Amino acid sequence: MAPPKKSKKPKRKAKDPSKLGDRSNAAHVELKAGDTEWWYTFWHKNGGSPGIAIPSDEDEAFKYFFRVSKKTFEYICSLVRQDLVSRPPSGLINIEGRLLSVEKQVAIAMRRLASGESQVSVGAAFGVGQSTVSQVTWRFIESMEERARHHLRWPDADRIEQIKTKLETAFGLPNCCGAIDATHIIMTLPAVESSDDWCDQESNYSMFLQGIVDHELRFLDIVTGWPGSMTISRLLKCSGFFKLCESGRRLNGPIKMSSEKAEIREFIVGDATYPLLPWLMTPYEGKNLSSSMIGFNAKQKAARLLAARALSQLKGGWRILHKVMWRPDKHKLPSIILVCCLLHNIIIDTGDELNADVALSNHHDAGYKEQSSQQVDSQGKAMRETLTRHLSHGDISC
């Protein structure tokens, strides 16, 4: 859980991405007539930037700048359109003195999030001022936070069964529902706010983001807003997900039985920075591990790296999270992080794809040392041993 949010206006029904049409037709789509001028002006101005390899193909160039296809961009515009037109954008004008279209507002905000460049640089690319970039980006974030929430939620029972089937097929782990990991969002804070609470073990001021992902690298649950100085174990225990699991209201689906008739409940996987719990499987540590322990570790690692890959894609795709945040509002930063996660999921949900070269080439938390939790729950230990024996014998039934 994160710090409490301010009250929001009533929700309207958001469009279902499953009704957007055949995903196979998403490769090429024109922007709506009358809404293309901003794009061609932007492309002409920024398409030949020296020292930057920008694709010459129009659709590829669009995705280079905004991370999404034109079709996905139009879907995002449809989500926020009502909010961006219902509140007249006083002062949001371009250099010709005309009000910004919804499409241009969305483009400005998404470019700011995708590039991580300064508001001044983004403004110059679009022919608007720094204050306009600031206003437009925050209006977009507020709207997305409200209108796109359905793209990040815990799956229903049918969807969980699909996820478990995919993960078992890929990694041999029965009843596995996802992978968990956490990363630091680094900040530069004003001197008056630079308290030790936000100073992490690497002497950076940072905020945590923890995510649980499925086999498609889709975020199913996130927690953010907490200082990077916390331990991973403490971050987990502050999350709503932890409280739901501990009270039996999450990861509480059908139990499977191993060939030895031992119970295997629903669980997720994480690295050694997390505690070993009945519903959270971590690797064996130490030397002189048995062959069956080594086998478990190999499959568990392959599955948990899904979360690391998702965070690398997130921070690579939305570089505002990877570059050092300059004096962010700590109360607004969780909203920025959430919206980047929503955009990450929208790309997956609409059948779009992030360009392969966008993800970070190194670890999403490079520079941070992995710290072992050393917390072992007795029921979690028994559950891990059951899984280890199962992987050695390989037979399971419901």
Side-chain angles (χ1 to χ4, degrees):
M1 52 192 294
K5 296 280 186 183
K6 63 181 181 181
S7 60
K8 297 280 186 178
K9 53 185 175 295
K11 291 184 179 180
R12 66 179 172 86
K13 187 175 181 180
K15 292 187 178 181
D16 187 340
S18 66
K19 299 178 181 179
L20 291 178
D22 189 347
R23 290 181 176 182
S24 64
N25 295 326
H28 179 85
V29 63
E30 292 295 333
L31 296 175
K32 292 181 180 179
D35 298 336
T36 59
E37 182 180 354
W38 70 266
W39 159 239
Y40 290 110
T41 301
F42 175 87
W43 189 25
H44 176 75
K45 184 176 183 179
N46 301 280
S49 300
I52 302 176
I54 297 172
S56 58
D57 178 80
E58 181 183 343
D59 287 354
E60 292 180 4
F62 190 92
K63 181 173 278 194
Y64 170 87
F65 286 114
F66 306 109
R67 304 297 192 235
V68 300
S69 68
K70 290 180 180 179
K71 184 170 185 176
T72 302
F73 181 86
E74 280 299 322
Y75 171 65
I76 294 169
C77 288
S78 76
L79 291 177
V80 301
R81 187 175 302 278
Q82 179 175 308
D83 290 336
L84 298 191
V85 300
S86 63
R87 292 178 291 162
S90 176
L92 300 186
I93 58 177
N94 59 21
I95 56 177
E96 284 115 12
R98 290 180 290 179
L99 290 176
L100 301 179
S101 67
V102 169
E103 286 71 23
K104 188 168 183 177
Q105 291 184 59
V106 172
I108 290 170
M110 290 186 66
R111 184 58 188 160
R112 168 82 170 121
L113 299 177
S115 69
E117 295 173 356
S118 70
Q119 294 175 352
V120 172
S121 296
V122 173
F126 283 93
V128 300
Q130 177 270 331
S131 62
T132 296
V133 175
S134 178
Q135 291 180 64
V136 164
T137 302
W138 186 243
R139 283 159 52 87
F140 174 78
I141 287 168
E142 284 188 310
S143 182
M144 284 290 290
E145 190 176 17
E146 188 75 22
R147 307 304 183 188
R149 280 276 187 169
H150 56 287
H151 285 284
L152 203 167
R153 59 189 175 190
W154 191 254
D156 60 23
D158 290 341
R159 179 60 182 158
I160 279 289
E161 288 302 317
Q162 295 172 12
I163 292 170
K164 291 193 296 185
T165 298
K166 292 290 187 179
L167 290 173
E168 182 172 4
T169 299
F171 307 109
L173 297 172
N175 251 359
C176 180
C177 298
I180 189 171
D181 202 353
T183 194
H184 294 82
I185 310 299
I186 300 176
M187 309 176 286
T188 297
L189 297 179
V192 293
E193 298 183 25
S194 300
S195 69
D196 290 341
D197 291 342
W198 295 92
C199 188
D200 59 38
Q201 69 266 28
E202 300 299 330
S203 299
N204 296 317
Y205 294 105
S206 64
M207 181 179 288
F208 260 128
L209 164 63
Q210 175 182 275
I212 300 170
V213 308
D214 66 11
H215 60 289
E216 295 181 300
L217 311 187
R218 179 187 289 104
F219 288 102
L220 306 178
D221 183 278
I222 69 166
V223 59
T224 190
W226 297 97
S229 58
M230 300 172 69
T231 64
I232 296 291
S233 293
R234 180 62 180 160
L235 174 67
L236 174 68
K237 292 175 182 178
C238 286
S239 69
F241 184 84
F242 177 87
K243 295 174 175 62
L244 289 170
C245 290
E246 289 294 292
S247 63
R249 290 179 289 164
R250 185 147 294 172
L251 298 180
N252 59 348
I255 290 173
K256 291 191 173 185
M257 304 299 292
S258 72
S259 57
E260 298 177 335
K261 303 303 180 184
E263 293 186 352
I264 299 179
R265 58 165 294 167
E266 289 185 339
F267 65 93
I268 58 175
V269 292
D271 63 24
T273 60
Y274 283 95
L276 176 63
L277 301 170
W279 48 268
L280 175 50
M281 295 292 99
T282 59
Y284 290 99
E285 295 186 274
K287 300 178 180 179
N288 302 319
L289 299 181
S290 67
S291 60
S292 59
M293 291 177 177
I294 293 172
F296 170 86
N297 277 1
K299 292 183 180 295
Q300 193 268 359
K301 180 178 181 179
R304 76 170 190 260
L305 284 179
L306 290 170
R309 287 172 55 200
L311 289 172
S312 290
Q313 284 194 9
L314 177 75
K315 294 177 84 170
W318 309 101
R319 295 269 168 166
I320 194 169
L321 302 182
H322 185 55
K323 296 185 176 182
V324 176
M325 289 267 199
W326 179 251
R327 296 192 171 190
D329 183 328
K330 295 197 299 292
H331 302 291
K332 291 183 176 181
L333 182 52
S335 297
I336 296 173
I337 294 170
L338 168 61
V339 169
C340 289
C341 291
L342 291 171
L343 290 168
H344 171 98
N345 280 7
I346 285 173
I347 291 174
I348 299 170
D349 291 344
T350 57
D352 205 346
E353 291 183 1
L354 198 66
N355 285 344
D357 60 350
V358 168
L360 299 181
S361 58
N362 55 0
H363 191 268
H364 62 80
D365 230 13
Y368 286 87
K369 298 176 182 177
E370 184 175 308
Q371 298 181 344
S372 177
S373 170
Q374 301 295 324
Q375 297 181 39
V376 177
D377 177 273
S378 58
Q379 292 182 349
K381 181 179 179 181
M383 168 79 169
R384 186 171 65 180
E385 290 171 351
T386 296
L387 277 169
T388 302
R389 290 193 299 272
H390 161 69
L391 294 175
S392 297
H393 299 101
D395 186 23
I396 193 163
S397 60
C398 296

